[in-house]
Amino acid sequence: FDEDAPERTWQILDRCNQARVLLLDDMGLEKASPWTTEQLTTLVDVRYRSGRLLAVATNLGLEGLAANRSNFRLADRLFDVGTDSVRVAYNTAPSYRTGKTW
């Protein structure tokens, strides 16, 4: 994303919103700024409200993601297990790079 080129940003977001399944990797490792947080939260919110499939990989749990107050809305949607809109799965396999188990 480039916040100085909104036409490109909206093209990317539109493709993400239209995808049958969207995969986001390493959630929480992005360079945090109010703009990136807003774009990511909007992307997740659109998919959440429309019932479109979204798979997210992160090393952070609810508390870790919500530790940054600006991410609270995002974390609330990603971990909303009470409405049956979200399924959380934990991968406990060791890292393929280091062999380390978290």
Side-chain angles (χ1 to χ4, degrees):
F1 291 118
D2 180 356
E3 64 185 291
D4 294 326
E7 66 283 348
R8 181 161 161 68
T9 298
W10 290 112
Q11 290 170 349
I12 293 168
L13 288 174
D14 187 51
R15 285 199 337 241
C16 290
N17 287 329
Q18 297 305 317
R20 206 171 129 240
V21 178
L22 181 64
L23 308 172
L24 299 177
D25 192 23
D26 283 338
M27 175 79 68
L29 291 181
E30 65 278 351
K31 184 177 177 183
S33 75
W35 185 85
T36 57
T37 299
E38 177 186 349
Q39 299 307 310
L40 191 54
T41 300
T42 300
L43 178 63
V44 169
D45 189 56
V46 166
R47 299 214 47 106
Y48 176 86
R49 291 177 185 273
S50 67
R52 291 186 173 270
L53 296 175
L54 172 66
V56 177
T58 182
N59 289 337
L60 303 174
L62 173 61
E63 295 80 17
L65 198 56
N68 177 347
R69 286 192 60 78
S70 62
N71 282 345
F72 180 78
R73 285 182 55 226
L74 179 63
D76 188 52
R77 281 153 182 77
L78 292 176
F79 289 92
D80 181 18
V81 295
T83 63
D84 286 334
S85 297
V86 175
R87 292 189 190 129
V88 176
Y90 295 95
N91 179 356
T92 59
S95 166
Y96 72 91
R97 288 185 290 271
T98 64
K100 194 177 194 180
T101 302
W102 304 100

